[in-house]
Amino acid sequence: MFDLTGKNALITGASGGIGGDIARALHGAGATVALSGTRVEPLKALADELGDRVHVLPCNLSDPQAVEALPKQAAEAMGSVDILVNNAGITKDNLFMRMSDDEWQSVIDVNMNATMKLCKGVLRGMMKARWGRIVNVSSVVGAIGNPGQANYAAAKAGMVAMGKSLAYEVATRGITVNAVAPGFITTAMTDKLTDDQKTSLLKQVPAGRMGESSEIAAAVLYLASPEAGYVTGATLHVNGGMAML
Amino acid sequence: MSDVADRVKKIVVEHLGVEEDKVTENASFIDDLGADSLDTVELVMAFEEEFGIEIPDDAAETIQTFGDAVKFITEAS
């Protein structure tokens, strides 16, 4: 249904579970993909799996200069960036009263500030092309909060509000800016939870199971598609019903 | 009219879809030529490419009229 043939997509955090599946989904729909992330090995493995129409662009999003260079590198490698998926994210959990300035700042820097800079870096090309898709991978935590994650929740909510403002500004240029907000998804991050923790988490989820990263990727694919051209400033919640927003 | 002015006028006419004779020295992009704020950003981008120059954000904000644009670009290039 969704055809991205001829579109070029930059995906951050592609070395992770969700980012990898987002890359697979966009690539499967015909897009050329630039895989960005901090860990080179998984990026290369994914590139090998995908075969053609793929570029590996390692980038540490906590390094401002590397962030600034990334959109340019992606445009050079692919010819343009038509789709930007801001998926990369880090956590540094701590109780609010114990949270250090560094724990706060580094999560804001990588999750929110890098998103802003990458959006800025790709907009010029999208404005000229009169077509663009920006999909920010937020989190249910950005909407409902979570103990121990004040920094992460603030950054994820910030991405959404920033995206809405940007969506207003560029809507007339055929550029949409949306967010996907995953709930509990089976990834390396949630594998660390004990069975007891998982059981108690799942009590909050009407669907009674964790989500799969491919289910997040499907939502991103929709928002990146030509068919979603009238959807902008939206947040698509993919959380098994744990928060019906 | 200078070569720079001709080229700037061509970009403005094309981008904003206005009649050439409306693009006068004191014509304001927003007040007289129907540009919105995003159009002015795009015009600056187009000027940068046409003339191979870099127009910093604070300078871009001072370019309000056709005359402003021609003057800035003439001095910069």
Side-chain angles (χ1 to χ4, degrees), chain A residues 1-5 7 9 11 18 21-31 33 83-85 131 133-135 137 176 178-180 213-229 236 238:
Chain A
M1 177 166 183
F2 302 123
D3 185 7
L4 297 180
T5 305
K7 302 294 186 198
I11 301 131
I18 293 177
D21 269 357
I22 291 170
R24 286 185 186 93
L26 300 184
H27 186 268
V33 293
I83 300 164
L84 169 66
V85 183
W131 199 94
R133 294 284 183 268
I134 294 173
V135 183
V137 179
T176 68
N178 291 291
V180 173
S213 51
S214 60
E215 291 171 315
I216 303 306
V220 173
L221 171 60
Y222 166 62
L223 292 173
S225 72
E227 283 82 352
L236 188 43
V238 184

Side-chain angles (χ1 to χ4, degrees), chain A residues 186-208:
Chain A
T186 311
T187 63
M189 212 189 277
T190 51
D191 279 348
K192 287 181 205 151
L193 300 171
T194 65
D195 282 347
D196 279 354
Q197 283 174 317
K198 281 183 189 166
T199 310
S200 80
L201 280 179
L202 288 178
K203 282 188 188 141
Q204 305 168 44
V205 182

Side-chain angles (χ1 to χ4, degrees), chain B residues 6 11 13 15 18 23-24 34 41 47 71-72 75-76:
Chain B
D6 276 344
I11 290 170
V13 166
H15 191 87
V18 292
V23 187
T24 56
V41 173
F47 298 151
K71 183 163 174 281
F72 183 90
E75 283 167 8

